């Protein structure tokens, strides 16, 4: 999470647990994890490219995939 603010060039907005709404950054991360779990490579690549500079995409992709693999499918 520390490196995410550097990659995004701004601190991501993450609400504390229990808050009813989610931020754009949280929604983007959740969607990224969902498509990673489904092996939807096109959507995953699109989401990464939409916000992450080319030089950081591979590292973040690897991190997101490894974290997503640790959780049950998001539904």
């Amino acid at each position: 999470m520390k490196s995410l603010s550097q990659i995004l060039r701004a601190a991501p907005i993450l609400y504390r647990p229990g808050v009813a709404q989610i931020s754009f950054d949280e929604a983007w991360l959740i969607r990224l994890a969902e498509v990673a779990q489904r092996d939807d490579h096109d959507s995953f690549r699109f989401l990464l490219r939409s916000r992450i500079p080319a030089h950081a995409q591979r590292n973040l992709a690897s991190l997101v995939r490894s974290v997503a693999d640790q959780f049950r499918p998001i539904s």
Side-chain angles (χ1 to χ4, degrees), residues 9-66:
R9 296 188 179 113
I13 297 173
L14 304 172
Y15 298 133
R16 61 181 153 51
V19 174
Q21 62 189 126
I22 62 172
S23 70
F24 177 82
D25 295 319
E26 291 169 321
W28 179 79
L29 286 167
I30 291 167
R31 188 73 180 139
L32 198 58
E34 287 173 343
V35 298
Q37 287 179 332
R38 286 197 325 257
D39 288 328
D40 182 348
H41 302 289
D42 292 334
S43 296
F44 189 81
R45 194 171 18 252
F46 172 79
L47 287 167
L48 273 180
R49 290 179 178 173
S50 71
R51 300 196 64 201
I52 305 300
H55 72 274
Q57 289 175 9
R58 180 176 291 200
N59 289 339
L60 184 61
S62 176
L63 179 62
V64 168
R65 285 185 178 119
S66 67

